[in-house]
Amino acid sequence: KINVLENLVEIEYDQETKILAIARILAISLKTSNGDAEEYINGSVLKDIGTFYKNNLLQVIKAGPVMLLCKVQPEIIHATNNPHPMLDVGKKDDEIVLKKIYVILKGQDFATTATGKAKFRDEMIALFGAEVEPLLKKLNLKKEQDLVALVTELNKRHSN
């Protein structure tokens, strides 16, 4: 399994758990509990993708000339300084939330959902031209199936 907090991969082998740093992995394929394979690549193999993705595993959601990748980023939501249990307000415990950041990759160029919808739209138009603009109008950046549909359509257009 992947430990995103400590940037490690834990592998069960011969009734032992082996720990492997993500920096030593270029690509890995893991089987889920239902038998499906999940493919991951290290962000460091992508030359110009930026330091935010270096030595982090990115899940390959959709492969092709245009790829959809997903980075899981842990985010800590800190407890409230003075929670008030009588009024049931405030949080008394820190919470770790896993936030998904999607990357659409074409060659070595990319657009990311981490920058927000307006910047993502500008990055996509820079990558694919004005032809992509109608596809972006009804896109919800938080819905993976919308991004998969977008990348599937882009792969159809760019495979010719």
Side-chain angles (χ1 to χ4, degrees):
K1 70 182 173 182
I2 299 171
N3 183 335
V4 292
L5 286 176
E6 297 177 15
N7 225 13
L8 301 169
V9 175
E10 300 172 10
I11 301 167
E12 288 185 23
Y13 177 74
D14 202 21
Q15 298 177 349
E16 290 183 10
T17 301
K18 307 282 184 180
I19 306 293
L20 185 62
I22 289 176
R24 300 187 66 189
I25 299 171
L26 294 178
I28 191 169
S29 179
L30 302 175
K31 288 206 179 203
T32 61
S33 58
N34 62 359
D36 295 337
E38 289 182 349
E39 303 290 327
Y40 294 86
I41 60 172
N42 190 326
S44 63
V45 300
L46 308 169
K47 292 180 183 160
D48 298 325
I49 200 162
T51 57
F52 182 68
Y53 302 100
K54 297 279 185 204
N55 292 323
N56 285 282
L57 288 182
L58 301 165
Q59 183 181 4
V60 178
I61 305 291
K62 188 79 177 165
V66 179
M67 294 177 68
L68 177 62
L69 307 172
C70 178
K71 177 183 189 246
V72 176
Q73 178 72 29
E75 191 173 289
I76 299 173
I77 300 172
H78 294 287
T80 310
N81 284 342
N82 296 318
H84 197 291
M86 295 294 282
L87 298 175
D88 198 27
V89 294
K91 294 182 178 180
K92 53 186 172 189
D93 297 320
D94 288 346
E95 186 178 349
I96 298 173
V97 177
L98 298 178
K99 182 178 174 185
K100 289 186 174 184
I101 299 169
Y102 295 96
V103 177
I104 294 180
L105 186 70
K106 178 186 174 193
Q108 290 296 325
D109 298 319
F110 69 98
T112 179
T113 61
T115 56
K117 189 163 186 164
K119 181 107 167 87
F120 176 74
R121 184 183 161 277
D122 294 342
E123 290 174 349
M124 289 295 288
I125 291 170
L127 271 176
F128 298 101
E131 70 179 69
V132 77
E133 205 163 356
L135 299 172
L136 297 174
K137 291 206 187 290
K138 57 187 174 202
L139 181 70
N140 183 342
L141 294 182
K142 292 185 170 85
K143 291 188 177 178
E144 187 174 296
Q145 67 263 22
D146 284 6
L147 293 166
V148 168
L150 172 66
V151 170
T152 302
E153 181 60 32
L154 290 171
N155 277 328
K156 284 180 194 172
R157 293 181 182 194
H158 289 276
S159 63
N160 298 336

